[in-house]
Amino acid sequence: MATPMSPDAIRRAPKVLLHDHLDGGLRPQTVIELADTIGYRDLPTTDPAQLGTWFRDAADSGSLERYLETFAHTCGVMQSEQALVRVAAEAAEDLAADGVVYAEVRYAPELFEPSGLSLEQVVQAVQEGFRLGERRAAEAGRTIRVGTLLCAMRQNEGWLRIAELAVRYRDEGVVGFDIAGPEAGFPPTRGRDTFEYLRQQNAHFTIHAGEAFGLPSIWEAVQHCGAARLGHGVRIVDDVKVDPDGSVHIGRLAGFVRDRRIPLEMCPSSNVQTGAAKSIAEHPIGLLTKLRFRVTVNTDNRLMSGCSMSSEFAALVDAFGYGWSELQWFTVNAMKSAFIGFDERLALINDVIKPGYAALMD
Ligand SMILES: [Zn+2]
């Protein structure tokens, strides 16, 4: 008989996470301790529970200003080598404790230049933190592997230097590149040279597209830039029409994304907070899953959304009645779409993910 889908059983199930921001996943307690260490005085409260609530409320508020303020605080307290190591280590440990077996965690190194560290020092500190977190997780009996994605900020210049940084560190755990930040007004085609460079280097990249902006953003990311995956990609649903009688018409762009199995890094809770979806139950992930797009489930910002991979899975189980087989499908989709090598992906699917779900479905 299948194991009931309790929160604890969902936490034990092996999970794969492709879209998680390092500066969006700090523990509230850590924010407070780091602020104290570096003399950062701008936090709204120094009570961990209240601070956690404050982050979620600010992200929920619908105000972009308040939402951006949350990242000003997390980045503000991460402006040292020790802070970067600690935050990265805790991210790996927290994800492992949540049953994540493989994660790609992203951040923009340029946001930590105010610390006086070079971009290289920032990358090395974060890598050291992930390795430390993986070792601590292993000591606690959990195996996790963390790959890194380096982001350039869309509104800033200098995407190419971040892409070069990603390529320079690709044998040390940096598995890809992304652009983050405001989507409207900063289309990916602003950085054609960056994506051209990455393709010539045989490097992997994803692009945040189709979250705050619609189909043109997705089209540019895929057809002009050559994105291997789409960060969110929620608005691809604008190219899918469902008639009152239930018949479905898939447009050219959505058809291309589906036919080519271009992964959608969907982040249900975050999408509801930013208004990209009205509620989890009305999130396009339901339709896109039914139509067998290459859907993956992700956290985006665990602190601001107060979520984890387990809670995102549990919310989808509640909203759409998914069972273990759907959760396995999301997980295998994510593993197939990861930026590590084919052999490693296959090994995780066959040796970890499938046996893990088989045990739950028995
Ligand atoms: Zn994101």
Side-chain angles (χ1 to χ4, degrees):
M1 219 179 83
T3 306
M5 305 196 73
S6 66
D8 186 56
I10 292 175
R11 190 165 55 245
R12 279 185 282 124
K15 291 173 288 294
V16 172
L17 171 55
L18 299 179
H19 192 127
D20 186 80
H21 292 264
L22 185 66
D23 48 332
L26 285 75
R27 301 174 186 170
Q29 179 71 41
T30 299
V31 175
I32 291 162
E33 289 176 16
L34 291 176
D36 191 47
T37 309
I38 64 168
Y40 183 89
R41 300 273 169 259
D42 299 338
L43 292 183
T45 163
T46 53
D47 176 84
Q50 281 176 15
L51 188 63
T53 307
W54 179 87
F55 272 103
R56 287 195 296 281
D57 288 349
D60 262 338
S61 67
S63 148
L64 183 64
E65 232 166 58
R66 285 191 66 194
Y67 194 69
L68 292 178
E69 197 192 334
T70 63
F71 288 95
H73 290 316
T74 56
C75 292
V77 302
M78 287 167 72
Q79 299 293 333
S80 77
E81 217 154 15
Q82 295 88 327
L84 291 167
V85 172
R86 175 173 175 180
V87 169
E90 290 179 355
E93 288 181 87
D94 291 352
L95 294 174
D98 191 40
V100 174
V101 295
Y102 176 80
E104 289 177 4
V105 179
R106 65 187 74 193
Y107 69 99
E110 67 203 65
L111 297 179
F112 306 102
E113 283 187 302
S115 66
L117 296 171
S118 67
L119 291 175
E120 286 77 8
Q121 286 171 319
V122 169
V123 172
Q124 285 162 15
V126 173
Q127 293 309 102
E128 185 188 327
F130 285 147
R131 299 296 83 80
L132 178 63
E134 287 170 347
R135 284 197 302 275
R136 286 189 191 148
E139 284 160 16
R142 299 170 190 281
T143 306
I144 184 169
R145 172 153 179 209
V146 180
T148 309
L149 304 181
L150 298 186
C151 305
M153 297 305 292
R154 308 176 88 108
Q155 70 273 36
N156 297 346
E157 301 301 319
W159 297 5
L160 186 57
R161 70 181 184 134
I162 305 299
E164 288 169 346
L165 194 66
V167 168
R168 201 173 319 144
Y169 282 93
R170 66 169 142 194
D171 294 326
E172 287 158 69
V174 174
V175 300
F177 174 84
D178 171 40
I179 50 170
E183 192 178 351
F186 300 100
T189 42
R190 286 179 87 226
R192 281 173 204 270
D193 56 334
T194 300
F195 300 111
E196 178 68 32
Y197 164 78
L198 288 166
R199 288 199 303 273
Q200 293 194 0
Q201 293 293 325
N202 305 302
H204 303 291
F205 57 94
T206 176
I207 295 180
H208 273 84
E211 178 192 17
F213 205 69
L215 293 174
S217 180
I218 295 177
W219 177 71
E220 286 196 10
V222 172
Q223 305 299 13
H224 282 272
C225 304
R229 306 193 311 232
L230 292 167
H232 301 286
V234 188
R235 302 277 27 115
I236 196 68
V237 79
D238 296 348
D239 201 31
V240 178
K241 303 274 173 285
V242 183
D243 290 343
D245 70 358
S247 53
V248 175
H249 308 274
I250 298 178
R252 296 275 179 208
L253 177 60
F256 186 91
V257 166
R258 181 172 178 257
D259 293 344
R260 287 287 184 97
R261 315 306 298 144
I262 294 175
L264 306 174
E265 304 164 358
M266 309 202 100
C267 310
S269 291
S270 171
N271 295 155
V272 171
Q273 283 183 304
T274 59
K278 282 198 200 81
S279 65
I280 303 269
E282 294 164 278
H283 195 288
I285 196 169
L287 177 62
L288 296 169
T289 295
K290 202 182 286 174
L291 296 174
R292 288 305 191 246
F293 280 75
R294 173 74 69 83
V295 173
T296 71
V297 178
N298 302 275
T299 49
D300 210 11
N301 300 298
R302 285 172 286 119
L303 173 63
M304 289 74 178
S305 299
C307 73
S308 63
M309 269 307 283
S310 298
S311 72
E312 290 300 280
F313 266 3
L316 294 175
V317 166
D318 272 355
F320 298 105
Y322 293 150
W324 292 119
S325 61
E326 282 90 358
L327 299 192
Q328 174 176 259
W329 184 75
F330 291 130
T331 305
V332 171
N333 275 352
M335 200 63 249
K336 283 178 176 171
S337 311
F339 285 158
I340 52 170
F342 173 71
D343 292 341
E344 299 167 283
R345 285 182 273 151
L346 202 61
L348 277 161
I349 291 172
N350 289 331
D351 304 342
V352 178
I353 297 168
K354 287 191 172 169
Y357 282 91
L360 292 161
M361 286 191 269
D362 257 354

